[in-house]
Amino acid sequence: MTDTRDAAQDRPTESSDVILERLTALHPKLIDLSLDRTYRLLEKLGNPHRSLPPVFHIAGTNGKGSTGAYLRAMLEAAGKRVHSYTSPHLVRFHERIRLAEGEGRSAFIDEPALSRLLDECERANDGEPITFFEITTVAAFLAFSRTPADALILEVGMGGRLDTTNVVDDPLVSIITPVSLDHQGFLGDTLTEIAGEKAGILKRGRPGIIGPQADEVRIAIEMAAERVQAPLLVHGQDFSAHEEHGHLVYQDEQGLLDLPLPKLAGRHQIDNAALAIAALRKAAGENPALAIDTDAIALGLTHAEWPGRMQRLTRGPLVELLPSHAELWLDGGHNPAAGEAVAHVMADLNQQQEHIRSRPLILICGMLDTKDAGGFLLPFKGLTAQVETVTIPDAPASLSAEVLAEMAAKAGLPASPAASIEAALERALLEGGRDAPRILICGSLYLAGHVLRENG
């Protein structure tokens, strides 16, 4: 096959926004779960998915990004070269692809390089049907196969069995984070059906690391693993972690680790960190070159970053609208399980600071019309003083602020629509009164991305 890597050298430099606009025009953001189109294009490009570094493949409903962030931080703390692939992006399209730059260093792919890779994929595809996510993933595989690295952290887009990333047939380990109801229109109406789809990333003879799950989910995953003879390490059975005296205590059959608490906020991050640690310890048995010491694990825990997930905003134009004593938080969780986890974080913050003074919690919420808004908001009942709802800018599938306010009210929360984020912040300060409000912007990764763009 002709090498087309330099075919687009004469294309003007494109920003992430231009790349995204071009891709969306060519390949609408439809979801069509299938692997045939991806295999076809990969074959035309020389099957780059068969020339990847050792793969940590991650599926699940919640916690995929955080678990991957811990994995990357720990491996890089040990001086390993690490690629990663995540979706969706928050601010700029090229955030989906991160390339190793050297020992312990990585960075988002260069935008002109990404533009050239996508052009190469377009030329090879030659006008055949393909989806937005499929061509993006193939471009990522090209980049990963051409840049040396010790490991690739590969996050599914949706589901697992028919997810585009599942063309990788020999991962080092597969990881399944907590599974809950989401994307029912594509993955099934029950937890058992959704779990079966997620478990599709398990491969014959390759180990699977399973996070905390409802019993029906765990049973479905265990049945899928048995069919392909994939050995499992199950949270609560083969490994565990808990907080004790300000430390994270991790234990598995190899022994006990006394570690610092994760940098990322929330008690659920203990479980995400444990998944990453279990996966790394198992991976070292499969590939000794990836063995890392306890110091690197500890450093990774305290340095992992995952924007838009329980992120405290401390600077920027939106923060400048608030008095210095107010707090502004951001989280992109968007399903009932995420709502429960985030509500726990907010309740824990109140409990930790109750000796200072009461902080009323004000939500600024925007959600897509494909999500269970009532289920997401319900855990905040009795915890929040007010919900200000907004329409997510530039998101055609966004619920209107008015409709979302009605849904919040039906869930038993006081709510009113706001014309913009800025208007919602202004009202949040009024609702907070003399007390220092804690303001949480939440409900969608698309909203989180908009806030991060606006906040610079």
Side-chain angles (χ1 to χ4, degrees):
M1 185 187 75
T2 302
D3 189 346
T4 60
R5 273 176 281 185
D6 297 322
Q9 289 288 348
D10 58 348
R11 181 188 292 280
T13 299
E14 293 182 324
S15 69
S16 279
D17 291 341
V18 173
I19 293 171
L20 183 59
E21 183 178 346
R22 176 162 67 95
L23 271 182
T24 303
L26 288 168
H27 311 287
K29 286 188 177 181
L30 53 85
I31 298 171
D32 184 5
L33 297 179
S34 170
L35 297 179
D36 294 340
R37 292 178 299 273
T38 305
Y39 277 124
R40 171 183 51 76
L41 180 54
L42 286 167
E43 185 172 3
K44 287 186 176 182
L45 291 164
N47 292 312
H49 62 302
R50 295 177 182 163
S51 301
L52 300 175
V55 173
F56 293 82
H57 201 185
I58 308 176
T61 305
N62 295 303
K64 297 189 297 295
S66 298
T67 301
Y70 289 124
L71 281 170
R72 180 171 65 82
M74 292 173 188
L75 286 166
E76 289 186 345
K80 306 301 182 184
R81 300 166 300 170
V82 186
H83 299 325
S84 63
Y85 183 61
T86 61
S87 64
H89 60 280
L90 282 177
V91 180
R92 299 175 69 82
F93 179 73
H94 72 148
E95 295 170 7
R96 296 172 180 235
I97 301 170
R98 193 175 188 103
L99 295 178
E101 288 193 325
E103 292 184 1
R105 295 184 293 109
S106 62
F108 297 135
I109 189 172
D110 180 67
E111 289 176 299
L114 176 56
S115 180
R116 290 192 293 272
L117 284 168
L118 288 165
D119 191 82
E120 181 178 347
C121 292
E122 290 285 354
R123 291 168 65 88
N125 192 56
D126 196 25
E128 292 289 326
I130 196 133
T131 70
F132 175 97
F133 186 69
E134 287 166 351
I135 201 161
T136 301
T137 303
V138 171
F141 286 155
L142 278 178
F144 298 145
S145 69
R146 293 171 178 173
T147 306
D150 300 304
L152 164 59
I153 300 166
L154 183 64
E155 181 186 317
V156 306
M158 182 190 295
R161 182 177 64 92
L162 295 176
D163 185 81
T164 303
T165 63
N166 206 32
V167 295
V168 174
D169 54 14
D170 189 28
L172 185 62
V173 296
S174 300
I175 302 168
I176 302 179
T177 68
V179 173
S180 59
L181 292 174
D182 202 4
H183 301 298
Q184 290 97 311
F186 298 95
L187 304 180
D189 295 325
T190 68
L191 280 175
T192 298
E193 290 173 327
I194 294 172
E197 291 296 316
K198 306 285 187 182
I201 69 167
L202 298 173
K203 299 299 189 298
R204 184 166 299 277
R206 307 308 300 161
I209 318 297
I210 311 304
Q213 309 290 356
D215 286 344
E216 61 192 295
V217 171
R218 178 183 50 77
I219 291 169
I221 294 172
E222 288 174 343
M223 291 175 63
E226 186 175 352
R227 286 194 292 271
V228 297
Q229 297 180 344
L232 295 183
L233 292 179
V234 179
H235 181 280
Q237 298 179 14
D238 303 297
F239 66 96
S240 64
H242 64 276
E243 180 180 354
E244 186 174 315
H245 304 304
H247 288 250
L248 185 156
V249 178
Y250 172 90
Q251 188 166 14
D252 61 17
E253 62 180 8
Q254 298 180 46
L256 183 146
L257 299 178
D258 186 2
L259 299 163
L261 289 175
K263 176 182 178 181
L264 302 180
R267 62 179 79 171
H268 58 289
Q269 293 297 349
I270 298 286
D271 294 333
N272 293 336
L275 261 178
I277 296 168
L280 284 172
R281 282 157 77 92
K282 186 63 177 178
E286 302 289 318
N287 184 342
L290 288 176
I292 68 174
D293 60 23
T294 304
D295 288 343
I297 292 174
L299 196 59
L301 285 172
T302 56
H303 284 73
E305 303 228 352
W306 195 231
R309 284 75 168 182
M310 285 316 305
Q311 179 180 358
R312 172 87 183 270
L313 302 180
T314 58
R315 64 189 66 177
L318 294 179
V319 177
E320 291 169 5
L321 296 174
L322 306 177
S324 59
H325 56 273
E327 291 183 7
L328 184 60
W329 292 78
L330 179 67
D331 190 84
H334 47 260
N335 54 48
E340 186 174 350
V342 174
H344 276 307
V345 176
M346 293 290 105
D348 288 345
L349 286 173
N350 277 346
Q351 187 173 14
Q352 292 165 11
Q353 298 180 359
E354 64 180 2
H355 63 284
I356 303 175
R357 62 172 171 172
S358 173
R359 275 189 185 273
L361 173 64
I362 313 294
L363 300 189
I364 297 176
C365 185
M367 299 193 72
L368 299 183
D369 60 13
T370 55
K371 303 303 177 183
D372 179 2
F376 172 81
L377 289 167
L378 189 60
F380 294 95
K381 185 176 179 181
L383 182 63
T384 182
Q386 174 69 13
V387 180
E388 296 291 335
T389 59
V390 295
T391 305
I392 304 171
D394 303 318
S398 174
L399 287 166
S400 72
E402 292 73 19
V403 168
L404 183 54
E406 292 175 3
M407 298 174 79
K410 287 180 181 177
L413 289 82
S416 58
S420 65
I421 296 288
E422 291 79 6
L425 284 171
E426 184 176 341
R427 283 225 299 261
L429 292 177
L430 293 175
E431 291 290 339
R434 294 179 55 193
D435 295 318
R438 176 173 289 124
I439 303 168
L440 170 65
I441 303 175
C442 61
S444 171
L445 284 171
Y446 292 96
L447 179 62
H450 171 78
V451 168
L452 291 174
R453 283 190 295 272
E454 290 295 303
N455 203 48

